[in-house]
Amino acid sequence: MSAMPLHLMTHPEPLVVARLDGGSEPVWDWTPGPFASLTRTPNETSVVCLAELVPDGVLTEGPFRGVEVAGPLAFEAVGVMAEILAPLVSAGISVLAMSTFDTDWVLVPEQHITTASEAWRKAGLIVTPTVLTGRGDR
């Protein structure tokens, strides 16, 4: 990576991953929050969104806490995810890793966010909380 340590920003809002059938569209507004994502394959549609938005009866996994790498990151940056994931592997924490145009995110199971933050700090990364300013605000 670089000489500068990565800066990770933890978000307080609980997120979930919802599973819908392939080709399905969410029947709710899933877009508010610090992070939202819709991914389609022929077999499933996965929606990452605020836990509070998902209707009852939809299959979900979570809650997770979103952790954002302070960016933007250059597309040619090498080793960012490896630097984030290595301390979590050592701590036995499974996460969901995702990328946007500008940066990378990891979804950490809510019950492991403190342990993950400690592991990252021990590895030399900077970890700071973000402030909850209201649904959909950043």
Side-chain angles (χ1 to χ4, degrees):
M1 234 337 267
S2 70
M4 294 287 299
L6 285 178
H7 178 187
L8 306 178
M9 300 175 295
T10 62
H11 291 266
E13 305 89 344
L15 301 170
V16 295
V17 180
R19 187 197 187 285
L20 305 173
D21 291 334
S24 296
E25 291 287 331
V27 295
W28 70 92
D29 181 7
W30 53 276
T31 59
F35 184 82
S37 178
L38 182 127
T39 305
R40 286 191 184 104
T41 71
N43 298 321
E44 66 169 307
T45 298
S46 293
V47 182
V48 177
C49 65
L50 290 171
E52 66 190 50
L53 300 177
V54 182
D56 290 339
V58 175
L59 179 62
T60 63
E61 191 69 38
F64 296 95
R65 294 277 299 282
V67 180
E68 175 184 6
V69 179
L73 301 173
F75 262 88
E76 58 274 358
V78 175
V80 174
M81 275 299 177
E83 191 171 347
I84 295 167
L85 298 178
L88 301 182
V89 170
S90 297
I93 299 171
S94 177
V95 298
L96 179 62
M98 306 184 86
S99 296
T100 67
F101 190 92
D102 286 339
T103 194
D104 293 324
W105 286 73
V106 290
L107 303 184
V108 178
E110 197 166 60
Q111 71 269 26
H112 297 303
I113 191 65
T114 299
T115 304
S117 296
E118 290 168 358
W120 285 323
R121 286 186 182 105
K122 189 183 238 185
L125 283 69
I126 298 167
V127 183
T128 59
T130 60
V131 178
L132 182 61
T133 58
R135 198 169 100 179
D137 296 344
R138 290 255 346 255

